[in-house]
Amino acid sequence: TGNASGYGLRSCFDFPSRYKLVQMFAMEESKKVSGLSLSNLDYVMKSASAKGYYHPSNDEKANGYLPNLFITNHDLVRLGDLINWKYNDNYWKRHKAALSTLAAYTGPITIYYGDEYGDKSNTTISSDNIARTSGKISGFTQEEQDLHDYVAKLMTIRNENEALWNGTYRKLSSSDTFFAAEKSTIEQTVIYLVNYSGSATNY
């Protein structure tokens, strides 16, 4: 009949946060780059309600909506390609920083196959099928294995610390090259730090 009621899906991909994430560590498909400012992480880490998602439920964390943070899906360009289109350095460190953000995010996350080992399509053009690479579960290069193992550790840490996946977020410090956040529950507090300066930083 064309009529609809209700508030739709309780969870869907958080595209605005994803675009800010790839702009920080690489570039957007449209070639848009935010500079290198880590201040965008403040938006990415905010609660669903603070981002404007609304649902008339009693869910105190997200007002009923739980937006899903991700880096790649089947219709987007892989982070590896976005890095290579913009930079010639720190390919693996950029992956680690982006994936650590997923680990520290309150709510559901998606790691698209291949992102865990830094897959790329090795093309200079964007299409709907660019991220649909063959994938693999073995035969990694040394760098791919290192990233794979890093992501496995991240997910273990996330699983074992509720403050990361279900905690309240509070920004502690933010600049173009440094970001500090507190994630907390009643029983636990975890500090999340990202240093993008290229040199050691004390906090």
Side-chain angles (χ1 to χ4, degrees):
T1 62
N3 296 324
S5 61
Y7 287 81
L9 298 172
R10 296 291 298 276
S11 181
C12 59
F13 283 141
D14 186 356
F15 277 90
S17 292
R18 182 269 176 182
Y19 284 119
K20 288 186 181 296
L21 193 61
V22 298
Q23 287 170 25
M24 281 181 287
F25 300 116
M27 65 190 300
E28 192 178 313
E29 284 81 353
S30 67
K31 314 301 183 189
K32 182 178 179 182
V33 183
S34 68
L36 300 180
S37 178
L38 286 186
S39 61
N40 280 324
L41 279 177
D42 182 42
Y43 175 85
V44 173
M45 301 295 285
K46 284 183 177 177
S47 68
S49 58
K51 293 177 185 178
Y53 294 94
Y54 174 75
H55 191 284
S57 81
N58 294 323
D59 187 324
E60 61 188 35
K61 288 258 185 275
N63 289 327
Y65 281 131
L66 293 169
N68 186 313
L69 185 60
F70 69 111
I71 298 172
T72 311
N73 71 18
H74 63 286
D75 285 329
L76 294 168
V77 177
R78 286 192 178 274
L79 179 62
D81 292 303
L82 295 174
I83 292 171
N84 285 338
W85 291 357
K86 179 65 181 173
Y87 302 104
N88 293 313
D89 66 339
N90 295 319
Y91 182 89
W92 303 103
K93 289 180 180 179
R94 293 176 194 280
H95 272 88
K96 286 181 176 182
L99 288 157
S100 76
T101 305
L102 265 65
Y105 177 78
T106 292
I109 60 172
T110 294
I111 299 178
Y112 185 65
Y113 80 96
D115 280 357
E116 77 280 5
Y117 66 86
D119 198 9
K120 57 187 178 294
S121 66
N122 291 314
T123 182
T124 59
I125 61 172
S126 175
S127 75
D128 284 346
N129 294 315
I130 192 171
R132 301 181 190 195
T133 53
S134 296
K136 58 185 175 181
I137 59 173
S138 62
F140 300 124
T141 66
Q142 182 177 346
E143 292 87 355
E144 289 172 340
Q145 187 68 58
D146 178 68
L147 181 60
H148 175 278
D149 294 347
Y150 176 80
V151 174
K153 289 178 183 177
L154 282 178
M155 294 304 107
T156 297
I157 292 168
R158 175 178 167 86
N159 183 58
E160 293 176 351
N161 294 275
E162 182 181 354
L164 291 174
W165 57 266
N166 196 36
T168 300
Y169 158 73
R170 183 169 70 97
K171 182 180 74 174
L172 300 176
S173 179
S174 179
S175 71
D176 284 351
T177 60
F178 183 77
F179 181 79
E182 177 186 275
K183 299 294 301 299
S184 61
T185 61
I186 293 174
E187 298 180 347
Q188 183 184 56
T189 296
V190 176
I191 304 299
Y192 172 60
L193 307 173
V194 183
N195 175 19
Y196 205 37
S197 68
S199 59
T201 300
N202 293 323
Y203 179 78

